[in-house]
């Protein structure tokens, strides 16, 4: 069974199927919908729950870059298997030790799992496609994978209620453990690609014109498999230095890292969509349907990313600017629904959903362009910087909302976040790395 799972996929279609299965099962966890209530029902205060969430976030934040360097040092597929097992361990800890200490330990384990997965999966898929001579398929595969992830999150949330009715928290928790273990099998089935360039080649990378930043090496060649590579801790430090140098020294990589972080980090505003709907007069059940409109937008946007990857940067910038306008107008329309009528709720969320989908599309495209811009071997380390900075942007979003809602309505606060999309649109023509074909 294991040998069949670890067999390398045949063709790009095989890689795509395994990538979609991996991402699709990663968040197929009914515990997502109930863990906040689980903590409260076990006697935790709001302050304690906030502390748990902060512990989770800080763990992933601190380990983001170090884990990226580790992914460039050892087998990426093995790290993804470990990440999947740790995620299952988290939920098992919650079921076996439902206390503040048990929940806290689980969140630390989950934070480690998240940091191991972030950047590692994307680097593995891209290097595998490079080895097959098909890097242009990356945006399409990532789009379908992200679409699968969005879909299964919705399915998991909808499944939580009937599971809880049948067996309470234990059934919801252990089903989540089982799905996490199933997800581990999809990690085992992922390809195991060679890296495409010697780590030492990063010394040739700098702010140079496209195409002069260092020689690519055919995967499996003598340079990429050189016996002169350092080993153990020395190799890890080399990869950390290599990825850090490329992320900050190479202009198009640096700008790609920043743009990707901005586009992804700002989507933290989706945490407030439910509150936005309620602030506009929607009932609890209606708010769930309105949030589903935005999920549909992100799903469509993800799936269309493969077709959008060939669009010139200036047209992507125009689309993103229009998305910002739609997002602002949609948010303000939701706020006006209290006086103008509930129909504005649907109009407003339709605009938000379209804007959300456009942002998702361009974020996937930006990720694909960043992959093409990376010349060194420490690919996962470079990507981890984008993940780290996206967490910073998300934290800024949370802080802004917490402060702004002291004086502004929820709709006005969320509308102001749409200006980030406008700024991103202005930056896109110069910050979006060129396509590999154009390069």
């Amino acid at each position: 069974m294991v040998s069949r799972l670890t067999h390398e996929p045949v063709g790009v279609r095989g890689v795509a199927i395994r990538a979609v299965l991996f991402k699709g099962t990663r968040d197929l966890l009914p515990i997502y919908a109930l863990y906040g209530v689980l903590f409260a029902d076990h006697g935790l205060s709001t302050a304690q729950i906030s502390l748990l969430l902060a512990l989770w976030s800080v763990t992933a934040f601190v380990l983001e870059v170090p884990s990226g360097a580790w992914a460039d040092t050892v087998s990426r597929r093995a790290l993804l298997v470990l990440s999947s097992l740790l995620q299952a361990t988290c939920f098992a800890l919650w079921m076996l030790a439902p206390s503040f200490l048990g929940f806290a330990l689980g969140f630390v384990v989950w934070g480690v799992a998240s940091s191991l997965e972030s950047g590692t999966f994307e680097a593995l898929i891209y290097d595998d496609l490079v080895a097959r001579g098909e890097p242009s398929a990356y945006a399409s595969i990532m789009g379908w994978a992200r679409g699968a992830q969005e879909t299964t999150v919705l399915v998991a949330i909808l499944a939580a209620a009937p599971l809880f009715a049948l067996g309470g928290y234990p059934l919801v928790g252990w089903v989540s453990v089982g799905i996490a273990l199933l997800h581990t099998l999809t990690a085992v089935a992922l390809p195991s690609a060679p890296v495409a360039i010697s780590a030492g080649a990063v010394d040739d990378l700098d702010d140079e014109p496209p195409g002069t930043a260092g020689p690519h090496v055919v995967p499996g060649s003598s340079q990429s498999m050189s016996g002169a590579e350092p080993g153990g801790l020395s190799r890890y430090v080399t990869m950390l230095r290599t990825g850090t140098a490329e992320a900050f020294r190479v202009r198009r990589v640096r700008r790609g890292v920043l743009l990707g972080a901005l586009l992804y980090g700002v989507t933290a505003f989706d945490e407030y969509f439910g509150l936005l709907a309620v602030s506009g007069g929607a009932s609890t059940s209606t708010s769930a349907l309105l949030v589903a409109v935005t999920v549909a937008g992100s799903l469509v946007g993800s799936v269309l990313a493969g077709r959008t990857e060939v669009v010139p940067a200036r047209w992507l910038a125009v689309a993103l600017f229009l998305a910002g306008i739609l997002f602002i107008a949609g948010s303000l329309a939701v706020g006006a629904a209290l006086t103008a009528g509930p129909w504005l709720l649907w109009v407003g969320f339709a605009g938000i959903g379209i804007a959300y989908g456009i942002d998702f599309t361009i974020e996937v495209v930006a990720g694909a362009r960043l992959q093409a811009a990376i010349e060194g071997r420490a690919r996962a380390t470079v990507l981890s910087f984008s993940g780290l900075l996206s967490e910073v942007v998300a934290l800024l979003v949370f802080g802004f909302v917490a402060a702004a809602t002291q004086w502004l309505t929820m709709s006005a606060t969320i509308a102001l976040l749409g200006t980030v999309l406008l700024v991103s649109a202005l930056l896109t023509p110069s910050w979006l790395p060129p396509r590999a074909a154009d390069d």
Side-chain angles (χ1 to χ4, degrees), residues 222-237:
S222 59
Q223 187 177 354
S224 66
M225 299 298 178
S226 171
E229 294 281 352
L233 180 60
S234 176
R235 177 176 168 80
Y236 173 83
V237 172

Side-chain angles (χ1 to χ4, degrees), residues 2 22 40 82 112 116 141 152 155 174 192 222 251 263 273 337 344 357 363 389 393 400 416 419:
V2 174
F22 178 84
L82 175 60
V112 175
L116 290 177
I141 291 176
T152 53
V155 170
W174 289 113
S192 182
S222 59
R251 183 182 294 111
L263 291 171
F273 285 165
L344 265 182
E363 190 269 319
L389 293 174
V393 174
F400 171 78
L416 284 175
T419 59

Side-chain angles (χ1 to χ4, degrees), residues 158-193:
L158 294 175
L163 286 172
F164 183 78
L166 286 173
Y169 291 122
L171 181 60
V172 173
W174 289 113
V175 166
S176 298
V177 172
I179 292 174
L181 292 175
L182 175 65
H183 171 69
T184 303
L185 296 180
T186 69
V188 173
L190 288 171
S192 182

Side-chain angles (χ1 to χ4, degrees), residues 105 108 132 389 406:
L105 183 57
V108 170
R132 297 171 187 274
L389 293 174
Q406 300 299 313

